[in-house]
Amino acid sequence: MVRFELVEDGRGIESVAHLAREIWTEHYTPIIGQEQVQYMLENFQSVWAINDQIQKGVLYYLLSYMETKAGYLALEPSGQDKQAKLSKIYVRSDLRGLGLGRKALQQAINVCRQLSVEILWLTVNKNNKGAIDFYERTGFIKTGTIVQNIGEGFVMDDYKMIIKISP
Ligand SMILES: CC(C)(COP(=O)(O)OP(=O)(O)OC[C@H]1O[C@@H](n2cnc3c(N)ncnc32)[C@H](O)[C@@H]1OP(=O)(O)O)[C@@H](O)C(=O)NCCC(=O)NCCS
């Protein structure tokens, strides 16, 4: 019923970019505004940007639920310090609350175990309350804040959260 597929080709990348546009526009516009959403979609979640990230080692997985594309996640293993960043985890708004986010996180943790990663970390916008609640519910703890300038005057004002992965 729930399936994860490593994104490796153009078709998969287009599916992720399509989901990103739908989910980010709906979810982030009230939090960071339309201009920043457009800027981030173009620079981080367009077909060329996702393709570039995959070439650099980011692992994207498409999540399907009952044969429907329901969301995606992205994992960035650091390679050296046994850490990985969960850089994306998104479920379509009409399919939230069904346990898919938890399954997507479990998928990320399973991959981390295969890669001997011991700490999974992420950043989350301080005003993204639902996501923060989800992360705390699933075992992440806040360890600090990270403010990043992402160009053209846009800033990401985030909490850093981590979870330790048992072997
Ligand atoms: C965050 C997100 C991935 C969670 O996915 P989901 O499929 O709705 O989550 P699940 O149904 O698996 O929920 C898992 C647990 O978290 C809790 N939870 C999920 N969303 C929650 C919310 N908004 N508020 C409070 N608790 C929440 C659930 O109650 C559940 O707890 P339980 O299993 O102990 O009963 C999804 O809501 C989403 O895509 N949000 C918008 C995008 C986003 O902000 N992504 C994170 C970017 S940093």
Side-chain angles (χ1 to χ4, degrees), residues 27-28 89-91 96-99 101-102 128 130 133 135 137:
H27 186 73
Y28 282 126
I89 181 164
Y90 293 99
V91 173
R96 287 179 199 149
L98 301 174
R102 204 181 259 284
N128 194 354
D133 288 346
Y135 292 134
R137 188 84 183 154

Side-chain angles (χ1 to χ4, degrees), residues 19-38 40-41 45 72 87-90 96 123-129 131-132 135 156 158:
L19 281 166
R21 183 157 292 280
E22 176 188 326
I23 297 171
W24 284 45
T25 303
E26 167 264 325
H27 186 73
Y28 282 126
T29 302
I31 299 178
I32 55 177
Q34 195 182 353
E35 273 186 47
Q36 185 161 348
V37 171
Q38 290 308 320
M40 291 180 74
L41 280 171
Q45 295 286 260
Y72 66 100
S87 63
K88 315 276 180 305
I89 181 164
Y90 293 99
R96 287 179 199 149
T123 61
V124 55
N125 186 291
K126 286 179 184 165
N127 294 316
N128 194 354
K129 187 178 176 318
I132 294 168
Y135 292 134
M156 281 168 53
D158 294 342

Side-chain angles (χ1 to χ4, degrees), residues 39-165:
Y39 176 80
M40 291 180 74
L41 280 171
E42 184 54 34
N43 285 278
F44 307 135
Q45 295 286 260
S46 58
V47 167
W48 72 262
I50 295 165
N51 188 43
D52 185 55
Q53 291 158 30
I54 290 173
Q55 301 310 317
K56 289 175 177 154
V58 179
L59 303 168
Y60 270 87
Y61 293 89
L62 259 176
L63 157 63
S64 299
Y65 173 65
M66 293 172 49
E67 305 305 320
T68 298
K69 293 182 180 69
Y72 66 100
L73 67 124
L75 190 66
E76 300 181 19
S78 76
Q80 287 173 358
D81 55 4
K82 299 200 170 182
Q83 296 199 15
K85 179 180 181 186
L86 181 62
S87 63
K88 315 276 180 305
I89 181 164
Y90 293 99
V91 173
R92 260 173 41 192
S93 63
D94 56 328
L95 296 172
R96 287 179 199 149
L98 301 174
L100 297 180
R102 204 181 259 284
K103 286 206 162 65
L105 175 60
Q106 193 55 54
Q107 166 73 8
I109 289 173
N110 291 344
V111 175
C112 283
R113 286 207 176 96
Q114 287 164 16
L115 300 174
S116 303
V117 166
E118 293 174 358
I119 290 183
L120 180 61
W121 64 278
L122 57 84
T123 61
V124 55
N125 186 291
K126 286 179 184 165
N127 294 316
N128 194 354
K129 187 178 176 318
I132 294 168
D133 288 346
F134 164 76
Y135 292 134
E136 287 181 333
R137 188 84 183 154
T138 53
F140 281 85
I141 52 165
K142 286 187 192 129
T143 57
T145 59
I146 296 186
V147 180
Q148 295 174 80
N149 189 332
I150 56 166
E152 297 200 7
F154 294 118
V155 170
M156 281 168 53
D157 188 8
D158 294 342
Y159 290 120
K160 180 176 180 181
M161 302 183 79
I162 69 161
I163 190 169
K164 287 190 183 148
I165 296 177

